Amino acid sequence: LLDNTWKDFVRGGALLPKQGKERFRAINSELASLSVKFGDNLLKETNGYRLLVGKKKDLAGLPDRVVSGAAEAAKKAGLEGKWLFTLRAPSLWPFLQGADNRKLRRQIFTAYITRGDHGNQADNKATLARGAALRAERAALLGYKTHADFVLDENMAKTPARVYEFLDRLWKPAKVVAGREAADLQAAIKADGKDFTLEPWDWFYYAEKVRKARYDLDEQALRPYFK
């Protein structure tokens, strides 16, 4: 307890000279502001996107509850008669899993992964770069080689080299499993009568198809177990 308490004070800048302590406090203060700014920008980008569907045929594959929710969202937005999808989880993931329209899946998926990367007021690239620079400076003030060294000193791995050692041990078997799953999904695409190559916006859709084919049991099959 004594060692940990002492280390907390040291990591909090207690042994720094006066000028170093002032800079340390300034860095922490700016990092806190940047964290809030990053979150605000991400929220703006998330809330600012809308996928508006005007044709019922483009809803093919989606469960009734998802379609009803999208219709209600459109109605609240003053767009009654249409269907509104957003980047919020209850709207996004069911759409990616169920929508047959590949073009729309790509559109909403791309919007999701590029949040904060549009060169507008909510762009987070400069915020991230500034944050990385400040973390590196803070680590150097405390005598650490990198921010990773600073963070990991309090964790099991202790050093970046040890983390990479763990990751290297996981990488090969994980890659084999991912490759096998990708092959299964590509086979599902072929079985669906399509000839395109699996893309990120196809993953959730065909993973759901494979899951249902392998593990879903219909009511008739389950009936003997519930007599």
Side-chain angles (χ1 to χ4, degrees):
L1 177 60
L2 180 61
D3 287 343
N4 287 338
T5 303
W6 169 261
K7 195 169 186 178
D8 283 343
F9 276 109
V10 173
R11 289 170 62 84
L15 296 183
L16 293 174
K18 182 180 179 180
Q19 186 176 359
K21 288 178 181 178
E22 291 175 354
R23 180 58 188 154
F24 185 83
R25 285 193 293 269
I27 289 173
N28 283 341
S29 177
E30 188 175 352
L31 281 172
S33 297
L34 289 172
S35 178
V36 172
K37 182 179 180 181
F38 180 91
D40 287 346
N41 286 343
L42 190 62
L43 185 61
K44 287 176 184 176
E45 291 277 271
T46 300
N47 291 340
Y49 177 84
R50 302 192 309 180
L51 174 63
L52 191 62
V53 176
K55 298 178 181 179
K56 196 166 185 177
K57 66 178 184 178
D58 289 329
L59 302 171
L62 294 172
D64 291 341
R65 59 177 178 78
V66 175
V67 173
S68 297
E72 183 62 26
K75 184 177 179 180
K76 288 180 179 178
L79 298 165
E80 191 167 2
K82 297 184 185 296
W83 296 267
L84 181 63
F85 297 90
T86 71
L87 298 181
R88 298 185 188 91
S91 180
L92 171 68
W93 301 117
F95 190 91
L96 287 174
Q97 287 179 332
D100 292 343
N101 190 312
R102 189 175 186 236
K103 182 179 178 180
L104 293 183
R105 290 202 312 270
R106 177 178 182 175
Q107 184 177 320
I108 198 168
F109 180 84
T110 302
Y112 178 73
I113 65 170
T114 59
R115 290 173 300 166
D117 188 22
H118 296 115
N120 54 16
Q121 289 185 340
D123 193 287
N124 267 327
K125 292 192 289 294
T127 303
L128 287 169
R130 179 60 178 164
L134 288 172
R135 290 187 177 99
E137 183 183 353
R138 181 178 62 184
L141 274 176
L142 296 174
Y144 292 91
K145 185 178 179 181
T146 67
H147 176 66
D149 288 283
F150 169 66
V151 172
L152 292 169
D153 191 37
E154 289 287 280
N155 291 276
M156 180 186 73
K158 294 298 181 185
T159 66
R162 186 67 171 151
V163 171
Y164 279 114
E165 181 185 335
F166 289 149
L167 290 175
D168 287 341
R169 286 164 56 187
L170 288 170
W171 172 247
K172 286 185 179 180
K175 186 178 179 181
V176 169
V177 172
R180 188 162 58 238
E181 185 174 353
D184 288 344
L185 301 187
Q186 189 64 60
I189 291 172
K190 184 177 181 180
D192 206 21
K194 309 293 195 309
D195 61 358
F196 55 78
T197 300
L198 177 71
E199 295 286 354
W201 46 87
D202 301 315
W203 194 281
F204 301 96
Y205 178 77
Y206 283 99
E208 184 66 9
K209 279 184 174 290
V210 170
R211 184 195 66 78
K212 286 182 177 180
R214 288 180 177 175
Y215 307 116
D216 276 13
L217 294 175
D218 60 29
E219 183 183 350
Q220 191 68 30
L222 289 170
R223 190 166 294 169
Y225 298 97
F226 293 96
K227 287 182 178 179

